[in-house]
Amino acid sequence: LYTQAAGLMKDQAGPAAQRQVLEALAAEQTRKADFAALSGTLAAIGTLDPQDLDVQYRLAQARTLSGQGAAALPGVYALLAQAPARVDAALLLADIYVAQGLPDRAVRELDAAAARVTNGSDRSALLLRKANVLAQGGDTRAAVFAAQDATRADSRNAAAFARVGELRALR
């Protein structure tokens, strides 16, 4: 029904009403895990409001989840150019590179993002993801150091302390 409503009101309703229907359609597509269709819907929302960074992120995320990680890369880089301290975009970028079999590139992107953020908990989250990527690649020594850096960045990050222990046990 939301798809029909979006089609019917495309030329007849204002941008606010169109966005409301498209957001409802996007919510249903998310619930159904129809990420290919969700990508199209979010692209339409992005056309209505090209300055909405959250829509840009959601579009890149939907493309990634639909198996189009390479197609999502330009959107993620554009988002990071507008909002360099967005942790969620940096983590998504790392996930895309890991999925493409490029863990070294993912680590470099996480390092660059960690240098851009000012919040300790955000830096800790990035360093913890770096530790996980390094551990998946078999470099447990560097992973331990990255996890320790995550604990120093945010001393309340229990997951980072747990990961340090797990990585030390692996070594």
Side-chain angles (χ1 to χ4, degrees), residues 151-162:
T151 62
R152 283 190 282 280
D154 182 7
S155 62
R156 296 174 297 164
N157 188 346
F161 283 99

Side-chain angles (χ1 to χ4, degrees), residues 19 23 42-43 45-46 49 52-60:
R19 180 162 182 162
E23 286 286 354
L42 291 171
I45 294 171
D49 187 3
D52 190 338
L53 299 181
D54 290 330
V55 170
Q56 290 178 24
Y57 172 75
R58 290 169 53 205
L59 176 58

Side-chain angles (χ1 to χ4, degrees), residues 22-151:
L22 289 172
E23 286 286 354
L25 177 59
E28 266 311 296
Q29 291 167 336
T30 300
R31 187 186 64 76
K32 290 176 60 178
D34 186 0
F35 300 115
L38 178 61
S39 296
T41 302
L42 291 171
I45 294 171
T47 302
L48 292 173
D49 187 3
Q51 300 304 317
D52 190 338
L53 299 181
D54 290 330
V55 170
Q56 290 178 24
Y57 172 75
R58 290 169 53 205
L59 176 58
Q61 188 180 42
R63 285 182 176 156
T64 301
L65 292 171
S66 69
Q68 301 172 351
L73 284 174
V76 177
Y77 279 116
L79 176 60
L80 285 171
Q82 292 176 346
R86 265 194 88 135
V87 175
D88 55 355
L91 293 172
L92 179 62
L93 185 61
D95 289 343
I96 292 169
Y97 282 126
V98 168
Q100 292 179 346
L102 300 168
D104 294 338
R105 179 67 186 262
V107 168
R108 284 196 307 272
E109 292 294 342
L110 289 167
D111 282 338
R116 290 189 303 260
V117 298
T118 57
N119 185 334
S121 65
D122 290 345
R123 185 175 296 108
S124 180
L126 292 165
L127 292 169
L128 185 58
R129 181 67 60 90
K130 176 183 172 183
N132 291 335
V133 170
L134 290 167
Q136 287 174 351
D139 190 357
T140 56
R141 181 178 186 274
V144 168
F145 290 133
Q148 286 174 338
D149 290 342
T151 62

